[in-house]
Protein backbone atom coordinates (compact mmCIF):
# COMPACT_ATOMS: atom_id res chain seq x y z
CA UNK A 1 0.00 0.00 0.00
CA UNK A 2 1.30 3.46 -0.89
CA UNK A 3 0.13 6.77 0.58
CA UNK A 4 0.76 10.23 -0.80
CA UNK A 5 0.68 12.68 2.12
CA UNK A 6 2.14 16.17 2.07
CA UNK A 7 3.55 17.43 5.37
CA UNK A 8 5.39 20.47 6.66
CA UNK A 9 8.78 20.18 8.34
CA UNK A 10 7.16 20.97 11.70
CA UNK A 11 4.57 18.23 11.25
CA UNK A 12 7.35 15.79 10.39
CA UNK A 13 9.20 16.77 13.56
CA UNK A 14 6.05 16.07 15.58
CA UNK A 15 5.52 12.68 13.94
CA UNK A 16 9.14 11.66 14.47
CA UNK A 17 9.24 12.77 18.12
CA UNK A 18 9.34 9.70 20.34
CA UNK A 19 9.30 11.10 23.88
CA UNK A 20 6.81 9.84 26.46
CA UNK A 21 4.92 13.13 26.13
CA UNK A 22 4.99 15.39 23.06
CA UNK A 23 3.35 18.80 22.64
CA UNK A 24 2.99 20.34 19.17
CA UNK A 25 1.90 23.79 18.06
CA UNK A 26 1.83 26.98 20.04
CA UNK A 27 0.24 29.15 17.33
CA UNK A 28 -2.84 29.06 15.11
CA UNK A 29 -2.54 27.66 11.60
CA UNK A 30 0.43 25.40 12.24
CA UNK A 31 -1.36 22.30 10.98
CA UNK A 32 -1.81 20.73 14.42
CA UNK A 33 -4.96 18.66 13.87
CA UNK A 34 -3.81 17.40 10.46
CA UNK A 35 -0.47 16.41 11.93
CA UNK A 36 -2.23 14.48 14.69
CA UNK A 37 -4.42 12.57 12.22
CA UNK A 38 -1.51 11.67 9.93
CA UNK A 39 0.59 10.57 12.89
CA UNK A 40 -2.26 8.41 14.19
CA UNK A 41 -2.75 6.87 10.73
CA UNK A 42 0.92 6.00 10.33
CA UNK A 43 1.08 4.52 13.83
CA UNK A 44 -2.01 2.38 13.20
CA UNK A 45 -0.56 1.00 9.98
CA UNK A 46 2.91 0.37 11.44
CA UNK A 47 1.72 -1.38 14.62
CA UNK A 48 -0.98 -4.02 13.93
CA UNK A 49 -3.60 -4.28 16.64
CA UNK A 50 -2.56 -0.99 18.24
CA UNK A 51 -5.09 1.18 20.08
CA UNK A 52 -5.21 4.99 19.97
CA UNK A 53 -7.55 7.57 21.47
CA UNK A 54 -8.01 11.15 20.20
CA UNK A 55 -9.65 13.52 22.68
CA UNK A 56 -11.38 16.90 22.59
CA UNK A 57 -13.60 18.60 25.18
CA UNK A 58 -16.87 17.79 23.41
CA UNK A 59 -18.04 15.49 20.64
CA UNK A 60 -19.28 18.40 18.41
CA UNK A 61 -15.70 19.76 18.44
CA UNK A 62 -14.47 16.39 17.22
CA UNK A 63 -17.15 16.17 14.54
CA UNK A 64 -16.46 19.66 13.14
CA UNK A 65 -12.73 19.16 12.80
CA UNK A 66 -10.90 15.90 13.33
CA UNK A 67 -13.59 13.43 12.28
CA UNK A 68 -14.49 15.32 9.09
CA UNK A 69 -10.82 15.58 8.08
CA UNK A 70 -10.23 11.90 8.82
CA UNK A 71 -13.02 10.98 6.34
CA UNK A 72 -11.06 12.49 3.47
CA UNK A 73 -7.62 11.47 4.74
CA UNK A 74 -7.88 7.82 5.78
CA UNK A 75 -7.85 5.28 2.91
CA UNK A 76 -11.10 3.32 2.82
CA UNK A 77 -9.29 0.19 1.64
CA UNK A 78 -7.39 -0.07 4.94
CA UNK A 79 -9.91 1.28 7.48
CA UNK A 80 -13.64 1.75 8.03
CA UNK A 81 -15.35 4.22 10.35
CA UNK A 82 -18.14 3.25 12.74
CA UNK A 83 -20.15 6.42 13.38
CA UNK A 84 -21.98 4.99 16.39
CA UNK A 85 -18.84 3.99 18.31
CA UNK A 86 -16.69 6.78 16.77
CA UNK A 87 -13.92 4.32 15.93
CA UNK A 88 -11.76 3.75 12.86
CA UNK A 89 -11.04 0.02 12.50
CA UNK A 90 -8.10 -1.03 10.34
CA UNK A 91 -7.71 -4.27 8.43
CA UNK A 92 -4.63 -5.09 10.54
CA UNK A 93 -6.67 -4.89 13.76
CA UNK A 94 -5.60 -1.38 14.82
CA UNK A 95 -8.17 1.12 16.08
CA UNK A 96 -8.34 4.91 16.36
CA UNK A 97 -11.09 6.03 18.73
CA UNK A 98 -12.50 9.55 19.09
CA UNK A 99 -13.56 10.55 22.60
CA UNK A 100 -14.24 13.60 24.74
CA UNK A 101 -13.72 14.84 28.30
CA UNK A 102 -16.15 17.64 29.03
CA UNK A 103 -15.56 17.50 32.81
CA UNK A 104 -13.19 15.80 35.23
CA UNK A 105 -15.72 13.08 36.02
CA UNK A 106 -15.72 11.99 32.37
CA UNK A 107 -12.36 10.30 32.87
CA UNK A 108 -14.22 7.48 34.62
CA UNK A 109 -15.51 6.37 31.21
CA UNK A 110 -11.97 5.18 30.51
CA UNK A 111 -11.26 3.58 33.88
CA UNK A 112 -10.56 0.11 32.50
CA UNK A 113 -9.31 1.15 29.06
CA UNK A 114 -5.85 0.53 27.59
CA UNK A 115 -4.24 2.57 24.81
CA UNK A 116 -0.83 2.68 23.18
CA UNK A 117 -1.18 6.38 22.33
CA UNK A 118 -3.56 9.02 23.65
CA UNK A 119 -3.79 12.27 21.70
CA UNK A 120 -5.13 15.51 23.17
CA UNK A 121 -6.22 18.06 20.58
CA UNK A 122 -6.14 21.58 22.13
CA UNK A 123 -4.49 20.44 25.35
CA UNK A 124 -5.02 23.77 27.14
CA UNK A 125 -8.77 23.10 27.05
CA UNK A 126 -8.27 20.20 29.47
CA UNK A 127 -7.56 20.26 33.19
CA UNK A 128 -4.32 18.91 34.58
CA UNK A 129 -6.29 16.20 36.38
CA UNK A 130 -7.85 15.01 33.12
CA UNK A 131 -4.44 14.84 31.48
CA UNK A 132 -2.58 13.07 34.27
CA UNK A 133 -5.42 10.60 34.85
CA UNK A 134 -5.52 9.64 31.18
CA UNK A 135 -1.76 9.05 31.22
CA UNK A 136 -2.53 6.07 33.44
CA UNK A 137 -4.61 4.60 30.58
CA UNK A 138 -1.51 4.40 28.38
CA UNK A 139 -0.45 0.84 29.02
CA UNK A 140 -0.24 -2.63 27.51
CA UNK A 141 2.03 -5.64 27.09
CA UNK A 142 2.41 -5.57 23.30
CA UNK A 143 5.81 -3.86 23.25
CA UNK A 144 4.58 -0.95 21.12
CA UNK A 145 5.61 2.66 21.93
CA UNK A 146 3.50 4.17 24.72
CA UNK A 147 3.03 7.93 24.31
CA UNK A 148 0.84 10.97 24.90
CA UNK A 149 0.94 13.28 21.88
CA UNK A 150 -0.85 16.61 22.19
CA UNK A 151 -1.39 19.79 20.21
CA UNK A 152 -2.59 23.21 21.32
CA UNK A 153 -2.49 26.99 21.19
CA UNK A 154 -1.63 29.13 24.23
CA UNK A 155 -4.53 30.31 26.37
CA UNK A 156 -7.70 28.81 27.85
CA UNK A 157 -8.11 27.25 31.29
CA UNK A 158 -5.14 24.92 31.06
CA UNK A 159 -2.61 27.52 29.92
CA UNK A 160 -0.68 27.68 33.20
CA UNK A 161 -0.20 23.96 33.81
CA UNK A 162 0.63 23.19 30.17
CA UNK A 163 3.19 25.99 30.15
CA UNK A 164 4.72 24.74 33.40
CA UNK A 165 4.88 21.16 32.12
CA UNK A 166 6.13 21.66 28.56
CA UNK A 167 7.31 25.22 27.94
CA UNK A 168 9.18 26.40 31.05
CA UNK A 169 11.56 23.50 31.87
CA UNK A 170 13.73 23.60 28.70
CA UNK A 171 13.88 25.39 25.32
CA UNK A 172 11.70 24.12 22.43
CA UNK A 173 12.74 20.82 20.83
CA UNK A 174 15.04 20.01 23.73
CA UNK A 175 14.08 16.82 25.55
CA UNK A 176 13.28 17.21 29.25
CA UNK A 177 13.47 14.27 31.63
CA UNK A 178 11.25 14.59 34.71
CA UNK A 179 13.53 13.84 37.70
CA UNK A 180 10.66 12.42 39.75
CA UNK A 181 9.28 10.00 37.14
CA UNK A 182 12.01 9.59 34.53
CA UNK A 183 9.45 10.37 31.80
CA UNK A 184 10.61 12.44 28.84
CA UNK A 185 8.82 15.46 27.32
CA UNK A 186 9.40 17.72 24.35
CA UNK A 187 7.68 20.76 22.83
CA UNK A 188 7.66 21.08 19.02
CA UNK A 189 6.70 24.68 18.07
CA UNK A 190 4.87 25.60 14.87
CA UNK A 191 3.46 28.85 13.46
CA UNK A 192 1.22 29.66 10.54
CA UNK A 193 4.31 30.71 8.55
CA UNK A 194 5.60 27.13 8.92
CA UNK A 195 2.49 25.85 7.14
CA UNK A 196 3.26 26.43 3.47
CA UNK A 197 0.01 24.76 2.41
CA UNK A 198 -2.20 27.15 4.38
CA UNK A 199 -0.11 30.17 3.37
CA UNK A 200 -0.54 29.24 -0.30
CA UNK A 201 -4.26 28.47 -0.04
CA UNK A 202 -5.22 31.41 2.20
CA UNK A 203 -2.54 34.15 2.25
CA UNK A 204 -4.96 36.57 3.92
CA UNK A 205 -5.09 34.40 7.06
CA UNK A 206 -1.92 36.07 8.36
CA UNK A 207 -3.51 39.49 7.92
CA UNK A 208 -6.59 38.39 9.86
CA UNK A 209 -4.38 37.25 12.73
CA UNK A 210 -2.68 40.67 12.69
CA UNK A 211 -6.07 42.33 13.22
CA UNK A 212 -6.66 40.55 16.55
CA UNK A 213 -6.23 42.43 19.86
CA UNK A 214 -2.59 42.53 20.88
CA UNK A 215 -2.62 39.74 23.47
CA UNK A 216 -4.61 37.39 21.22
CA UNK A 217 -2.36 38.21 18.27
CA UNK A 218 0.76 37.40 20.27
CA UNK A 219 -0.75 34.12 21.43
CA UNK A 220 -2.32 32.92 18.16
CA UNK A 221 0.06 34.36 15.57
CA UNK A 222 3.35 34.32 17.47
CA UNK A 223 2.67 31.38 19.77
CA UNK A 224 3.71 33.49 22.77
CA UNK A 225 3.22 31.51 26.00
CA UNK A 226 4.03 34.54 28.16
CA UNK A 227 0.69 36.15 27.25
CA UNK A 228 -2.36 35.38 29.35
CA UNK A 229 -5.55 37.21 30.26
CA UNK A 230 -5.24 39.51 33.27
CA UNK A 231 -1.45 39.57 33.48
CA UNK A 232 -0.01 42.65 35.18
CA UNK A 233 2.70 43.36 32.58
CA UNK A 234 1.06 42.69 29.18
CA UNK A 235 4.18 44.04 27.43
CA UNK A 236 6.35 41.24 28.88
CA UNK A 237 8.48 39.60 26.19
CA UNK A 238 10.88 36.77 26.98
CA UNK A 239 13.40 37.80 24.30
CA UNK A 240 13.59 41.32 25.77
CA UNK A 241 13.04 40.93 29.51
CA UNK A 242 14.81 37.63 30.27
CA UNK A 243 18.60 37.20 30.38
CA UNK A 244 20.91 34.28 30.97
CA UNK A 245 21.65 33.66 34.68
CA UNK A 246 24.63 35.56 36.06
CA UNK A 247 26.51 35.42 39.33
CA UNK A 248 25.43 38.44 41.38
CA UNK A 249 28.39 40.28 42.96
CA UNK A 250 28.36 40.08 46.74
CA UNK A 251 28.52 43.88 47.16
CA UNK A 252 25.24 44.46 45.23
CA UNK A 253 22.30 45.43 47.41
CA UNK A 254 19.51 42.84 47.49
CA UNK A 255 15.77 43.59 47.62
CA UNK A 256 12.98 41.23 48.58
CA UNK A 257 9.36 41.76 47.54
CA UNK A 258 6.20 39.83 48.34
CA UNK A 259 2.85 39.76 46.54
CA UNK A 260 0.03 38.76 48.87
CA UNK A 261 -2.34 38.22 45.92
Amino acid sequence: MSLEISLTKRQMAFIQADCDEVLYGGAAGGGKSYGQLVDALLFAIKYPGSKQLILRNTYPELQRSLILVSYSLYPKNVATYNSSSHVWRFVNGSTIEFGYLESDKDVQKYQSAEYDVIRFDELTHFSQYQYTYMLSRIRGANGYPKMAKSSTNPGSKGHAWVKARFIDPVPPEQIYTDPSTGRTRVFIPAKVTDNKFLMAADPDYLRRLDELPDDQRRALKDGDWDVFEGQYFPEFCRSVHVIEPIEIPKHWRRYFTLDYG
Side-chain angles (χ1 to χ4, degrees), residues 80-105:
T80 57
Y81 183 69
N82 186 315
S83 58
S84 60
S85 61
H86 317 307
V87 175
W88 280 97
R89 299 188 183 278
F90 289 73
V91 295
N92 67 357
S94 294
T95 59
I96 298 175
E97 176 185 348
F98 293 101
Y100 64 91
L101 296 173
E102 194 165 1
S103 66
D104 284 356
K105 66 181 181 181

Side-chain angles (χ1 to χ4, degrees), residues 32-33 55-56 120-126 151-153:
K32 301 183 296 300
S33 297
L55 291 166
R56 283 292 298 260
F120 291 82
D121 194 49
E122 296 299 347
L123 183 58
T124 56
H125 292 185
F126 296 88
S151 52
T152 198
N153 297 324

